[in-house]
Amino acid sequence: MAPAMSHRNRLWSRSEIQGLIADGRKIIIFRGQVLKADAWLPYHPGGDKSILHMVGRDATDEIAALHSAEAQAQMQKYVIGRVHGTWENFLPPIQGGIFRLPVSKNDGDEALSAETDASSSGTSTPSSTVFDIGQAGDQVRLRRTGNDTPLSTASSLLSSETEPRQFGHVETSTAHAISTDVSKYPLLDKMSQDEVVSKYRQLDEKLRSKGLYQCEYSYYAVEFARYSILFALFLTFLHYSYYTLSSICLGLFWHLLAFAAHDAGHLSITHGFHTDSCVGIFIADFLGGLSVGWWKRNHNVHHIVTNSPEHDPDIQHMPFFAISSRFFSSLRSTYYDRVMKFDAASQFFIKHQHYLYYPILLMGRFNLYRLAWLYLLDPAQAPRKGPAWWHRHLEMAGQAFFWYWFGYRTLYLSIPTWSSRITFLLISHMVTAPLHVQLTLSHFAMSSADLGVHESFAQKMARTTMDVDCPPWLDFIHGGLQFQVVHHLFPRLPRHNLRRAQKYVKEFCDDVGIPYVIFSFTRGNKEVISRLAEVAEQLRVLEECRKVAAKDLIQGHHRH
């Protein structure tokens, strides 16, 4: 017992942890303890990428927000020691942090390499889109800054320079955007961020004391009644050959079910890992043809690096959408492990993205099928061992069941003609488009700036997310996704308690000086379309200036 205790109580210096990370170890700080997650990495039900984004960081708030008490207790198996005092974050290797082995074991923090010093300072390639959020009384207003440069000056960024120089000007504009964003939020110094962290944790305790983490199953009884009515109507209309009405009911059924799958994915129904996972698989795979395993892998990363163009898969929709001119430089996605090429197709779609936003989202469900199968068929994504090893097999069974009842029994056997089948397929899937609007609404219009590793989890979540205001009787249509600020701060909070928690979150934001952004559904949509239109206009100006530069270059050659 004594050797084990001494092993767990070993005090690690900063340079020693730097050396472990340089040697490829996956070191995470959690409540002052040092976790070595290497052995767990392939078995993590939420995928490896969410862990990799926490390497070298104090991940206390991220872990507590996304994991149950039981899961946190299991992490004690991976404790190799502790650190003294408050940990200063490194930039994780997956985000570009550079680490070197210490010269010797006795080297202190002074021996850190220049590259590692840059990593720990929190500087990284910044994102470009920043929204300057100001508070005026009870009203929140958004004023675009930074890369949302007035077109009269934007053309000067790209006059007759070479392409690298052109994007250099964009990065200069980005730096200004970041400084503007910083000016509207609590300072990034240790004292200010410690206060945000402390009060965020106090808020979490308050929500627990008020019982808001407890799921009231009576709400799900009402939800189940809605699901049952819609499914019964789908079958009834299908039986009597009212195919359009049947497809609409089926689409609404899928739309509402997605919210319950989201709840299960966050373990906010029963809070039991396998129970909620099976509920999610039954809903997503068996009834909807989607993959809850893919969703967990994707969504966990989204909740950690929200709105980061390089890292957040939920805003990586190239070639169709770009919410930041950062995408013009063909960023490399750390989630997909590939470059998101800014090619001819991207230029076409992004120039018209504010017009294509809704038409493309009408087809969003088909993309979810594609992503589900890419996940289930890729051995590198779905865990093959560990507690969730059998979930993939259950999901595969669910996929077979879905395509049997929907693809074969419904589309092929129950509908007589191919034209009717295609119409049914399209209508049923397009009816689910409001879900995709809701998923993008709370993030597309918010900041995508990288403020560095010193920004607290709570501040980053509130800065990159907005709420949608609606009357309580419409909550079931939005499915809890209208409370995205609350949800991102407390992901495991049951959906039906989010409205009750909202007032406490507003009080927290007022207390620490974080603007709480909330818009009506209509205003939120206008903000998103406006954001897409501005990025499209930036691209148009970029192309015009590139043409002028090329023309000047050619004329210069002719003159000489």
Side-chain angles (χ1 to χ4, degrees):
M1 181 67 69
M5 290 299 295
S6 61
H7 173 75
R8 292 168 59 87
N9 288 326
R10 173 180 172 174
L11 189 64
W12 290 84
S13 71
R14 183 173 178 82
S15 62
E16 287 175 323
I17 290 179
Q18 177 219 185
L20 290 174
I21 298 173
D23 199 34
R25 302 291 183 262
K26 308 302 182 286
I27 305 299
I28 298 170
I29 310 302
F30 176 54
R31 291 178 179 158
Q33 295 179 309
V34 180
L35 305 182
K36 187 163 79 73
D38 302 62
W40 179 241
L41 200 67
Y43 309 137
H44 184 221
D48 59 340
K49 295 298 174 68
S50 55
I51 294 177
L52 295 178
H53 281 292
M54 290 294 98
V55 171
R57 294 178 57 96
D58 184 338
T60 300
D61 290 330
E62 288 88 344
I63 290 175
L66 293 167
H67 295 80
S68 65
E70 291 75 18
Q72 294 176 46
Q74 290 295 315
M75 295 177 193
Q76 293 299 307
K77 296 178 181 178
Y78 305 98
V79 173
I80 62 171
R82 57 189 178 88
V83 295
H84 178 70
T86 304
W87 179 255
E88 184 179 351
N89 291 330
F90 286 116
L91 184 68
I94 193 174
Q95 296 181 14
I98 302 173
F99 297 82
R100 286 185 179 176
L101 290 168
V103 178
S104 69
K105 291 184 178 179
N106 296 323
D107 285 339
D109 292 351
E110 308 80 43
L112 295 180
S113 65
E115 290 90 347
T116 305
D117 285 338
S119 307
S120 63
S121 70
T123 57
S124 62
T125 303
S127 308
S128 69
T129 306
V130 177
F131 288 79
D132 179 5
I133 301 175
Q135 193 85 20
D138 295 329
Q139 301 298 319
V140 178
R141 65 182 184 275
L142 263 66
R143 177 169 56 82
R144 292 175 175 77
T145 62
N147 266 358
D148 306 303
T149 311
L151 295 181
S152 60
T153 60
S155 59
S156 66
L157 299 178
L158 300 158
S159 56
S160 59
E161 304 292 332
T162 60
E163 189 132 331
R165 181 64 182 271
Q166 292 170 359
F167 285 110
H169 285 300
V170 173
E171 294 304 327
T172 300
S173 179
T174 297
H176 172 69
I178 291 174
S179 66
T180 304
D181 216 27
V182 168
S183 70
K184 298 299 178 182
Y185 288 84
L187 298 175
L188 297 175
D189 64 279
K190 182 179 182 300
M191 181 179 296
S192 300
Q193 291 302 303
D194 282 352
E195 180 185 11
V196 174
V197 170
S198 175
K199 291 186 176 180
Y200 167 67
R201 294 174 183 175
Q202 292 174 23
L203 174 59
D204 183 57
E205 291 300 321
K206 177 185 286 189
L207 299 183
R208 291 180 187 278
S209 68
K210 293 186 176 296
L212 296 186
Y213 273 91
Q214 301 303 313
C215 181
E216 297 185 32
Y217 296 111
S218 58
Y219 286 109
Y220 281 104
V222 177
E223 295 286 342
F224 183 77
R226 292 193 185 103
Y227 307 151
S228 300
I229 291 171
L230 286 171
F231 196 75
L233 289 173
F234 148 67
L235 292 176
T236 302
F237 289 134
L238 183 67
H239 177 75
Y240 290 104
S241 300
Y242 295 110
Y243 300 129
T244 299
L245 291 175
S246 178
S247 61
I248 291 173
C249 291
L250 180 58
L252 291 174
F253 172 73
W254 282 335
H255 172 75
L256 296 185
L257 272 184
F259 303 132
H262 180 261
D263 298 342
H266 278 295
L267 309 184
S268 63
I269 300 177
T270 70
H271 303 298
F273 172 67
H274 288 300
T275 304
D276 277 0
S277 294
C278 287
V279 170
I281 291 171
F282 175 73
I283 293 172
D285 293 86
F286 283 78
L287 298 181
L290 310 180
S291 169
V292 77
W294 162 81
W295 177 87
K296 285 184 180 182
R297 187 176 193 269
N298 178 287
H299 203 64
N300 285 344
V301 174
H302 165 67
H303 269 269
I304 291 172
V305 288
T306 309
N307 263 27
S308 170
E310 295 90 346
H311 311 303
D312 182 2
D314 273 18
I315 64 168
Q316 295 176 348
H317 300 298
M318 297 290 282
F320 300 109
F321 300 126
I323 66 168
S324 164
S325 58
R326 284 279 293 129
F327 287 99
F328 298 172
S329 57
S330 294
L331 298 178
R332 178 173 182 81
S333 166
T334 59
Y335 181 82
Y336 293 109
D337 291 322
R338 61 175 173 80
V339 173
M340 297 176 287
K341 294 182 179 179
F342 189 67
D343 52 17
S346 302
Q347 293 180 46
F348 170 79
F349 282 111
I350 291 170
K351 276 193 295 186
H352 305 92
Q353 62 180 355
H354 46 305
Y355 300 114
L356 296 174
Y357 176 66
Y358 295 113
I360 288 175
L361 292 187
L362 287 172
M363 301 292 109
R365 192 172 186 88
F366 293 104
N367 186 50
L368 296 183
Y369 293 146
R370 180 184 68 87
L371 292 169
W373 280 104
L374 287 176
Y375 169 81
L376 292 172
L377 296 177
D378 185 353
Q381 294 193 45
R384 301 300 181 93
K385 297 180 180 179
W389 71 268
W390 54 273
H391 290 182
R392 174 176 174 270
H393 300 286
L394 185 59
E395 286 202 79
M396 295 290 282
Q399 293 292 322
F401 180 81
F402 172 79
W403 289 108
Y404 170 75
W405 77 260
F406 174 68
Y408 179 67
R409 300 284 304 182
T410 301
L411 283 181
Y412 185 71
L413 291 185
S414 301
I415 302 176
T417 66
W418 278 107
S419 60
S420 298
R421 290 166 185 159
I422 293 173
T423 301
F424 186 98
L425 177 70
L426 291 176
I427 292 176
S428 62
H429 285 60
M430 289 191 294
V431 167
T432 67
L435 170 65
H436 304 284
V437 172
Q438 186 75 62
L439 291 171
T440 58
L441 182 61
S442 294
H443 298 295
F444 272 26
M446 296 301 292
S447 172
S448 61
D450 179 3
L451 299 190
V453 295
H454 301 301
E455 184 179 28
S456 63
F457 169 75
Q459 180 170 313
K460 181 176 179 63
M461 293 304 102
R463 182 174 61 84
T464 56
T465 308
M466 77 172 185
D467 275 3
V468 175
D469 193 20
C470 73
W473 65 271
L474 273 179
D475 281 353
F476 79 98
I477 293 293
H478 293 277
L481 298 183
Q482 75 274 34
F483 302 113
Q484 281 287 296
V485 177
V486 186
H487 172 64
H488 267 256
L489 290 171
F490 306 101
R492 292 185 302 106
L493 209 63
R495 183 210 323 174
H496 307 99
N497 292 334
L498 293 175
R499 181 174 287 277
R500 292 171 58 194
Q502 187 183 50
K503 66 175 183 179
Y504 300 112
V505 172
K506 286 181 177 179
E507 291 171 358
F508 157 76
C509 289
D510 289 341
D511 190 18
V512 299
I514 294 177
Y516 190 98
V517 183
I518 180 169
F519 289 127
S520 68
F521 185 77
T522 301
R523 173 74 184 278
N525 274 267
K526 289 180 179 179
E527 291 293 328
V528 169
I529 296 301
S530 178
R531 170 71 267 176
L532 295 175
E534 287 168 357
V535 175
E537 187 65 12
Q538 290 169 17
L539 176 57
R540 186 192 66 78
V541 172
L542 174 67
E543 291 185 340
E544 288 296 322
C545 293
R546 188 179 294 152
K547 291 176 182 177
V548 171
K551 182 179 179 181
D552 290 346
L553 184 62
I554 293 172
Q555 290 177 346
H557 280 304
H558 285 323
R559 284 195 295 268
H560 290 85

